Amino acid sequence: MAIKRKFANINVLEAAKIRIKNVFANGLPVYMSFSGGKDSLCLADVTMRLIQSGEIDASLLVVQFIDEEAIYKCIEDKVKEWRKKFLMVGAKFEWYCLQVRHFNCFNALENDESFICWDERKKEQWIRIPPTFAITKHPLLRERIDSYQEFLDKKCADGMCMVGIRTAESLQRLQSFSRIMFKGKGSAGRTKIYPIYDWKNSDVWKYLLDRNIDIPEIYMNMWQAGMSKNQMRVSQFFSVDTARSLVRMNEFYPDLMEHIIRREPNAYLASLYWDSEMFGRNGRARSESEGTDTVKDYRKELNHMFSHFDQYFDTPHKRKIAKRYRNFYVTVMNIANDKEMKKLYESLIAGDPKLRNLRALYQNVYSRYIQEAKKGRMN
């Protein structure tokens, strides 16, 4: 269980600067992941200002962008803008358009739950054309097999990696960070540094506002569509987080779904079922469509699914995830409440490729159980 402790002697921005300067002080190559998203822009700007003030050596910096093909045009434009900035100060910038494997939340209907970025067998269906300067081949990459994380583990083995992700984004990240801080390395063994890990959403938006940093227009469109600040996450189209927003974004990008469906025919599911348990939704539209009078017995539903395991989980990936869920269910079935059982069921239905929801459930169930047990002893 992750425990938060507060240290109030410096603010999060000064702490981030110290962490970045400490990374460069080692004299090793520093690989900085860049996505063009809000968190990535904050890390990039702090790093750029330290370069410009002469506090870190730009020649050690290698900025890396993994172009996942299925991304918004405004994200591509923003990354191009920052590529020029870093090249002008003497840093390296590696823009990868590689055939790497991604999880595809739309492909549950197929016996293959993956999406190959820049698939050379589907050039006619590509959502975008790679930039002329993009790196499309690399000897360390096992094409169509490796994920981009597996590729970077090999590519960046000689240096240190800076990543702009934060614990405030999710409880799962907080738990992961607590393990990394203890061990000193990420799960794959790479030395990873998270300079802005303790920034809250308000810190990110305030930093961008105070320094007049231009953000991709997709964030403004999400805000206009009624999405909360916590929901405004930008990633490739076929991840669960982005799939939920595709229908809303079609209002701002009329050709979007046409290009996406041409590349991934099963993406029409987002149009039909985006407000359903398939995508883990609990909105008013779902309640109206499913009927408010129907109350599911989620324990019964889970028992039925696990009793007919091969029928419900008909691919190797689904079975692998479902086994983890089944083990957890058996462990907590007598202490989890109805709300937690509903979350467990819906996470299993929607898909949990990285087991993020399962880790959050583990934290929630046992934290609540311990607190209730303490109250019981006190009473």
Side-chain angles (χ1 to χ4, degrees):
M1 184 184 301
I3 300 173
K4 290 185 177 180
R5 294 184 175 87
K6 293 184 178 180
F7 301 92
N9 55 329
I10 57 174
N11 61 44
V12 293
L13 175 55
E14 292 306 315
K17 291 179 181 178
I18 293 171
R19 293 167 190 145
I20 294 171
K21 287 189 284 188
N22 286 341
V23 172
F24 280 82
N26 288 281
L28 297 172
V30 178
Y31 298 96
M32 185 178 77
S33 297
F34 186 71
S35 68
K38 62 184 189 304
D39 299 341
S40 187
L41 286 171
C42 287
L43 177 58
D45 190 74
V46 176
T47 303
M48 177 65 73
R49 289 172 185 269
L50 290 173
I51 291 173
Q52 292 170 336
S53 63
E55 297 177 75
I56 59 176
D57 183 359
S59 67
L60 295 174
L61 179 63
V62 182
V63 185
Q64 297 176 318
F65 173 59
I66 302 295
D67 189 334
E68 299 169 308
E69 182 198 338
I71 62 174
Y72 291 102
K73 179 65 165 58
C74 60
I75 294 292
E76 178 185 3
D77 292 342
K78 186 57 57 182
V79 178
K80 285 181 178 178
E81 175 187 323
W82 278 85
R83 173 179 177 269
K84 290 182 180 178
K85 291 182 180 181
F86 279 111
L87 290 176
M88 287 179 65
V89 297
K92 300 180 181 67
F93 197 107
E94 298 175 342
W95 186 307
Y96 290 105
C97 292
L98 303 171
Q99 293 188 79
V100 291
R101 182 177 294 275
H102 264 294
F103 175 77
N104 179 1
C105 71
F106 294 129
N107 239 4
L109 298 179
E110 307 289 343
N111 193 27
D112 179 15
E113 296 168 290
S114 62
F115 166 75
I116 305 299
C117 296
W118 306 109
D119 191 340
E120 63 182 11
R121 303 171 189 173
K122 299 181 179 180
K123 283 187 177 181
E124 295 77 12
Q125 288 82 44
W126 280 356
I127 294 174
R128 297 167 36 251
I129 302 300
T132 56
F133 51 76
I135 301 169
T136 59
K137 299 284 183 180
H138 199 282
L140 293 177
L141 174 71
R142 296 180 301 168
E143 289 188 338
R144 312 178 68 85
I145 298 175
D146 285 345
S147 65
Y148 75 82
Q149 294 95 336
E150 291 171 325
F151 164 67
L152 290 179
D153 288 340
K154 294 177 281 188
K155 173 66 175 64
C156 308
D158 63 334
M160 306 182 74
C161 305
M162 290 202 308
V163 186
I165 60 177
R166 302 176 293 112
T167 59
E169 289 274 275
S170 68
L171 177 60
Q172 299 93 317
R173 284 186 176 177
L174 175 60
Q175 294 171 321
S176 177
F177 272 58
S178 66
R179 292 191 294 270
I180 292 171
M181 296 296 185
F182 178 75
K183 295 179 180 178
K185 290 183 179 290
S187 58
R190 272 192 293 160
T191 303
K192 295 183 181 179
I193 309 298
Y194 305 91
I196 63 170
Y197 81 92
D198 50 355
W199 288 31
K200 298 177 181 178
N201 283 330
S202 57
D203 296 320
V204 169
W205 292 113
K206 187 176 187 303
Y207 185 89
L208 295 171
L209 176 64
D210 289 349
R211 286 150 187 83
N212 198 29
I213 299 172
D214 190 37
I215 61 175
E217 68 175 5
I218 182 62
Y219 286 112
M220 300 305 297
N221 295 338
M222 287 180 173
W223 180 256
Q224 292 180 53
M227 299 178 69
S228 69
K229 287 185 288 187
N230 289 335
Q231 293 174 322
M232 288 193 282
R233 298 184 185 180
V234 178
S235 58
Q236 57 99 1
F237 295 149
F238 307 135
S239 69
V240 173
D241 288 340
T242 304
R244 295 169 181 169
S245 66
L246 285 181
V247 175
R248 296 185 185 184
M249 291 305 100
N250 203 46
E251 176 183 347
F252 301 95
Y253 307 96
D255 308 348
L256 180 64
M257 287 303 295
E258 179 184 345
H259 287 287
I260 292 173
I261 291 174
R262 185 177 62 196
R263 180 68 166 88
E264 176 47 70
N266 288 329
Y268 77 93
L269 292 172
S271 299
L272 296 176
Y273 303 116
W274 72 275
D275 203 12
S276 71
E277 66 184 15
M278 177 179 291
F279 294 107
R281 291 276 298 177
N282 284 292
R284 182 172 59 185
R286 173 184 168 184
S287 299
E288 292 173 354
S289 65
E290 294 183 356
T292 55
D293 297 332
T294 303
V295 179
K296 283 187 178 181
D297 183 338
Y298 291 101
R299 284 180 170 80
K300 183 178 179 180
E301 294 287 342
L302 287 164
N303 284 331
H304 180 75
M305 291 173 69
F306 292 139
S307 298
H308 300 80
F309 198 85
D310 292 337
Q311 175 184 340
Y312 282 93
F313 312 110
D314 54 0
T315 68
H317 179 78
K318 284 184 179 180
R319 285 191 285 271
K320 179 180 178 181
I321 300 300
K323 286 178 182 178
R324 296 287 296 274
Y325 267 78
R326 182 177 60 185
N327 292 341
F328 177 72
Y329 172 70
V330 171
T331 304
V332 303
M333 60 187 302
N334 293 323
I335 62 173
N337 58 33
D338 291 341
K339 183 178 179 180
E340 290 158 349
M341 282 295 174
K342 178 182 178 182
K343 181 64 177 177
L344 194 152
Y345 169 80
E346 293 190 336
S347 296
L348 189 57
I349 292 293
D352 190 11
K354 297 183 180 180
L355 296 172
R356 291 173 175 171
N357 290 338
L358 185 62
R359 293 195 294 271
L361 274 166
Y362 178 93
Q363 177 88 2
N364 292 340
V365 171
Y366 283 105
S367 294
R368 177 192 54 77
Y369 180 74
I370 291 171
Q371 290 175 0
E372 291 178 354
K374 288 181 179 178
K375 288 181 181 178
R377 287 197 296 271
M378 292 175 64
N379 296 334

